[in-house]
């Protein structure tokens, strides 16, 4: 596998405009980055960073206000000092790399309206210990790369889980929510096909042997 790497998405800064979407704006006060307004945020692709990127080291909290529907690609990329993230029920979509390299975020609660976690959305969030993502049905490549979950519970509706989603993530054990028809778990190990196929062994598990 060719993992998502630090700096892979590095771009050039774009100034201090207060706009971050057609009807969305941002402000940064006392370490709190607030996204306000309505509708979709801008996708920060190509050579454009989010306008707050050059102040990322001063951001300790990210607050997305009610009314925002889409978190843009790479929106909070490298906000490495942000500890808390607040995401409202109006959000239904998260872009690639959205929270990649947010090394200090400890937990995330996603509304049930979010059904897909795309490429590297939380890659290298190395302090994250839990995420609530009950509405998710699809988890893409490198989404949780290097995320050290004590336990990750595969949501009931997940039918598509990339075999690279937990690349180099020291997960200690997996669990599966009741009602999932694709994945099962035994002794913290994730299987498909009613246990006939080993899907993922948690690399944070401390057992010294494993019998297939």
């Amino acid at each position: 596998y060719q993992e998502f790497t630090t700096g892979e998405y590095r771009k050039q800064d774009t100034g201090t405009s207060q706009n971050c979407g057609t009807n969305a704006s941002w402000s940064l006060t006392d370490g709190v980055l607030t996204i306000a307004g309505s509708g979709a945020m801008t996708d920060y692709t190509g050579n454009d960073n989010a306008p707050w990127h050059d102040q990322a080291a001063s951001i300790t909290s990210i607050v997305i206000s009610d009314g925002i529907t889409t978190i843009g690609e790479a929106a909070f990329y490298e906000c490495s000092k942000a500890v808390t993230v607040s995401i409202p029920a109006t959000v239904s979509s998260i872009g690639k790399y959205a929270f990649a390299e947010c090394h200090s975020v400890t937990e995330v609660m996603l509304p049930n309206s979010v059904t897909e976690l795309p490429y590297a959305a939380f890659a290298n969030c190395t302090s994250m210990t839990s995420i609530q993502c009950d509405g998710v049905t699809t988890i893409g490549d490198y989404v949780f790369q290097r995320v050290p979950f004590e336990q990750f519970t595969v949501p009931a509706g997940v039918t598509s889980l990339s075999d690279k989603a937990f690349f180099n993530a020291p997960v200690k054990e997996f669990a599966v929510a009741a009602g999932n028809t694709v994945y099962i778990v035994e002794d913290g190990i994730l299987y498909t096909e009613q246990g006939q196929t080993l899907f993922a062994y948690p690399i944070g598990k401390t057992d010294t042997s494993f019998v297939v």
Side-chain angles (χ1 to χ4, degrees):
Y1 296 146
Q2 182 177 356
E3 66 179 308
F4 169 80
T5 58
T6 301
E8 179 177 323
Y9 201 76
R10 192 174 302 281
K11 302 159 291 181
Q12 297 180 3
D13 295 322
T14 59
T16 57
S17 168
Q18 297 300 300
N19 296 323
C20 58
T22 302
N23 297 305
S25 62
W26 67 280
S27 61
L28 178 57
T29 304
D30 297 329
V32 180
L33 173 63
T34 301
I35 309 298
S38 62
M41 292 178 63
T42 300
D43 285 328
Y44 295 100
T45 57
N47 292 317
D48 294 327
N49 267 328
W52 48 83
H53 186 265
D54 60 347
Q55 302 176 70
S58 67
I59 297 170
T60 57
S61 180
I62 297 168
V63 177
I64 302 169
S65 300
D66 193 58
I68 299 298
T69 59
T70 299
I71 297 174
E73 292 183 11
F76 307 110
Y77 179 72
E78 289 187 331
C79 289
S80 61
K81 303 299 183 182
V83 176
T84 60
V85 175
S86 177
I87 301 174
T90 52
V91 168
S92 60
S93 177
I94 296 176
K96 295 184 295 184
Y97 313 95
F99 295 95
E101 312 293 346
C102 289
H103 303 299
S104 301
V105 169
T106 57
E107 61 181 4
V108 172
M109 296 182 65
L110 299 177
N112 289 345
S113 50
V114 175
T115 60
E116 180 179 1
L117 298 181
Y119 185 94
F122 294 97
N124 299 337
C125 290
T126 51
S127 295
M128 185 186 292
T129 56
S130 68
I131 185 170
Q132 180 177 313
C133 54
D134 295 343
V136 167
T137 61
T138 301
I139 300 176
D141 292 349
Y142 307 112
V143 169
F144 297 120
Q145 176 179 296
R146 291 199 174 94
V147 176
F149 292 120
E150 288 287 318
Q151 181 187 81
F152 179 84
T153 299
V154 179
V158 167
T159 57
S160 177
L161 174 59
S162 169
D163 59 359
K164 296 183 283 294
F166 297 95
F167 187 76
N168 273 349
V171 180
K172 291 188 177 179
E173 67 174 357
F174 290 105
V176 176
N180 190 293
T181 59
V182 178
Y183 301 93
I184 68 169
V185 69
E186 181 178 334
D187 194 27
I189 303 163
L190 196 61
Y191 298 85
T192 59
E193 298 181 306
Q194 291 75 51
Q196 295 181 66
T197 298
L198 172 62
F199 185 83
Y201 187 97
I203 66 172
K205 194 174 177 64
T206 57
D207 291 2
T208 57
S209 64
F210 171 62
V211 178
V212 177

